[in-house]
Amino acid sequence: MRNWSELAVEPYRTEDVHPYTRCRVILMNGIEVEAIMNSHNAARRTADSGIKQALAMVRRIEQQQQKAVNWLIPGSESSIANTIGYEQVAVDLTSWIARHEPDPYLKQVYEFGVLEDYDHLYRYANLMDLMGERRKAEAITGDLTEILPGRPTIFQHRDPHDELRRPMTVEAASVQSILNALTVLSAEQQTMNFYMTVGNRPEHPLARALYQEIAMIEEQHVTHYESILDPMTPEMLNWVLHEYNECWLYWSACETETDPRIRGIWELHLAMELEHLRVACDGLKAVHGLDAADFFPKGGIDNPMTFEPNKEYVRDVLDRTVDWTSWDSEFVPINDLPQGHRFFDYQHQVNEGSVPSEDVIAAHRSEFSQEYRFATEGDHPIIALRDSGTGENTEYAKAEQQARKEFAQ
């Protein structure tokens, strides 16, 4: 147990912090929140008082870890600046996961999601500029992540039945697949929670509207990712898997952190998580008679999760799948949907009238004669999404306007 002064860590300086240090802080806060909520849910479904006590003890330490990690973010960092960091996490984390996912279907799941968060980053970056922030989004992301349109947010609104994916099974899935799923789910859940909390804080109606629209997509993403988990996983094994995932990610953070002071926090928390894993393994043995070692590779996990640029990869995914949507658990081009599909009904309902994600781009074009973008690798790979810098007469603007007309009809 740490005392209050130990938990009151010095925050990073928002002007100086490396973009991927910020990403690691955001991610590990989300990982701790998921661990805590999973523990609470397990306690509600467990009658064994000994297991409840073990969960409560570990959960209290996880709470202290979460406070230390989350309090690294300084109060001087505005909500919109923090939001840019959240979306950079989503883009580069999910890209890394997709690139290292051994299951072809799960790889599709991640590629489908990353293009939507990529578009969110672009919409929020334009909003940030409109809000008169002293920095542009590229000052937060550095030159590590491009800021360009992804799958336009207007097309991301789907019927809830089409957000459910095929679940993996713990027995058949690789450990890497399980860790990948828990990691991305935790990050997306944290983003959902963050937008539910801060989305009503801006005063400008356009900012409030954009947060509201994208917050709804983040709930879809949580449904999207949680549905690939094995629903039949025993309660104590689920606990073990969460603790193993925390060990992997804190080790990954230790391996890749460039800030020595913050690396010390990762190292301390890794040591704690190794003990949490041992306690969870004891619970698995006591309740289910299972040996946790049977579920993990004998040599451990070789690759740390690394925040790194994924520009070429995202451009490739855009080129291949920008026009995808989902139909039940499968991914198909929008043009393959039959006439009268529920996708179009849902689009007509939620996009009737103005669409905030479109309005923010129109507002930026109106005020600055062009939209805000940050590209280091050349033109957008999708011709219709290129911005010629001539305002409303761009191919992208024409494509968006035509799409809204079709859905209105």
Side-chain angles (χ1 to χ4, degrees):
M1 292 289 182
R2 286 178 278 182
N3 62 33
W4 305 123
S5 61
E6 291 173 306
L7 289 178
V9 296
E10 180 185 351
Y12 61 67
R13 281 177 49 83
T14 188
E15 299 85 359
D16 304 330
V17 67
H18 191 283
Y20 284 155
T21 294
R22 178 190 285 105
C23 286
R24 280 185 283 272
V25 170
I26 292 171
L27 172 62
M28 295 316 299
N29 183 61
I31 294 298
E32 289 292 357
V33 170
E34 164 62 19
I36 291 162
M37 298 312 298
N38 180 70
S39 176
H40 275 296
N41 287 328
R44 295 169 191 178
R45 296 187 294 260
T46 299
D48 188 310
S49 60
I51 294 297
K52 280 182 176 288
Q53 289 171 347
L55 285 165
M57 176 60 75
V58 171
R59 188 166 63 244
R60 185 65 57 85
I61 304 299
E62 302 274 19
Q63 278 282 4
Q64 287 202 334
Q65 291 174 309
Q66 186 272 332
K67 300 302 177 289
V69 173
N70 201 27
W71 264 244
L72 285 169
I73 299 174
S76 61
E77 192 163 279
S78 66
S79 292
I80 186 63
N82 210 198
T83 296
I84 298 298
Y86 269 70
E87 295 298 347
Q88 185 177 28
V89 169
V91 170
D92 284 328
L93 170 67
T94 313
S95 294
W96 188 96
I97 294 292
R99 288 168 41 219
H100 294 81
E101 175 51 56
D103 183 285
Y105 176 74
L106 296 177
K107 184 181 182 72
Q108 279 191 323
V109 169
Y110 299 124
E111 289 188 338
F112 187 77
V114 74
L115 291 195
E116 305 197 339
D117 289 314
Y118 193 66
D119 196 70
H120 298 168
L121 175 60
Y122 156 73
R123 308 285 164 172
Y124 280 126
N126 278 266
L127 176 65
M128 185 178 185
D129 214 18
L130 284 168
M131 291 174 69
E133 287 271 327
R134 57 187 175 82
R135 296 185 295 169
K136 292 186 181 293
E138 65 206 65
I140 296 170
T141 60
D143 63 355
L144 304 170
T145 309
E146 292 189 299
I147 301 174
L148 295 168
R151 179 177 302 114
T153 300
I154 188 174
F155 299 128
Q156 297 175 21
H157 306 292
R158 296 175 292 269
D159 187 281
H161 292 166
D162 294 316
E163 293 305 315
L164 301 175
R165 311 294 166 233
R166 298 201 308 264
M168 68 178 85
T169 59
V170 167
E171 292 81 3
S174 75
V175 172
Q176 188 65 63
S177 291
I178 297 170
L179 300 183
N180 287 347
L182 287 174
T183 300
V184 177
L185 171 61
S186 299
E188 290 288 344
Q189 177 179 254
Q190 180 188 210
T191 305
M192 177 187 73
N193 293 341
F194 179 66
Y195 294 164
M196 285 196 298
T197 302
V198 307
N200 65 349
R201 294 295 84 200
E203 293 186 20
H204 195 287
L206 182 55
R208 294 169 67 88
L210 183 65
Y211 270 103
Q212 187 178 80
E213 181 187 0
I214 293 181
M216 292 296 295
I217 298 296
E218 298 302 344
E219 189 281 327
Q220 292 180 204
H221 285 181
V222 173
T223 300
H224 171 78
Y225 291 120
E226 70 187 7
S227 63
I228 64 177
L229 297 175
D230 184 350
M232 303 306 292
T233 305
E235 194 74 74
M236 292 297 98
L237 178 56
N238 192 36
W239 185 18
V240 168
L241 293 172
H242 276 76
E243 298 297 348
Y244 195 88
N245 192 48
E246 288 185 274
C247 289
W248 174 56
L249 290 173
Y250 273 122
W251 169 70
S252 297
C254 291
E255 291 289 296
T256 56
E257 183 56 68
T258 57
D259 184 310
R261 179 180 68 89
I262 294 179
R263 186 189 305 119
I265 296 174
W266 305 147
E267 290 171 349
L268 174 62
H269 287 191
L270 172 59
M272 294 176 174
E273 294 300 345
L274 291 170
E275 174 64 6
H276 296 175
L277 177 59
R278 185 194 66 78
V279 174
C281 291
D282 288 347
L284 178 67
K285 188 75 170 177
V287 175
H288 302 295
L290 299 174
D291 187 345
D294 294 338
F295 293 91
F296 302 116
K298 289 184 171 58
I301 301 294
D302 294 329
N303 296 324
M305 195 295 295
T306 306
F307 279 105
E308 59 192 28
N310 291 277
K311 300 173 188 177
E312 291 185 7
Y313 180 74
V314 173
R315 283 172 170 263
D316 175 63
V317 178
L318 275 165
D319 191 47
R320 292 186 284 109
T321 68
V322 71
D323 62 340
W324 282 10
T325 188
S326 56
W327 185 356
D328 292 331
S329 62
E330 302 303 321
F331 306 105
V332 298
I334 290 178
N335 289 338
D336 287 359
L337 296 179
Q339 189 175 13
H341 190 277
R342 58 187 174 234
F343 172 81
F344 302 111
D345 291 337
Y346 193 83
Q347 283 275 320
H348 178 72
Q349 286 182 304
V350 300
N351 288 330
E352 186 177 8
S354 66
V355 181
S357 56
E358 300 293 305
D359 294 342
V360 72
I361 303 303
H364 198 283
R365 290 194 191 114
S366 176
E367 184 165 339
F368 299 103
S369 299
Q370 60 184 5
E371 60 201 75
Y372 171 78
R373 297 181 178 214
F374 179 72
T376 63
E377 310 302 307
D379 288 338
H380 198 290
I382 308 301
I383 294 176
L385 296 181
R386 291 178 185 170
D387 181 7
S388 65
T390 57
E392 289 294 340
N393 294 321
T394 64
E395 289 297 316
Y396 178 41
K398 292 175 184 175
E400 286 183 309
Q401 290 166 4
Q402 182 60 32
R404 290 183 67 171
K405 286 180 182 177
E406 290 175 1
F407 286 126
Q409 292 170 358

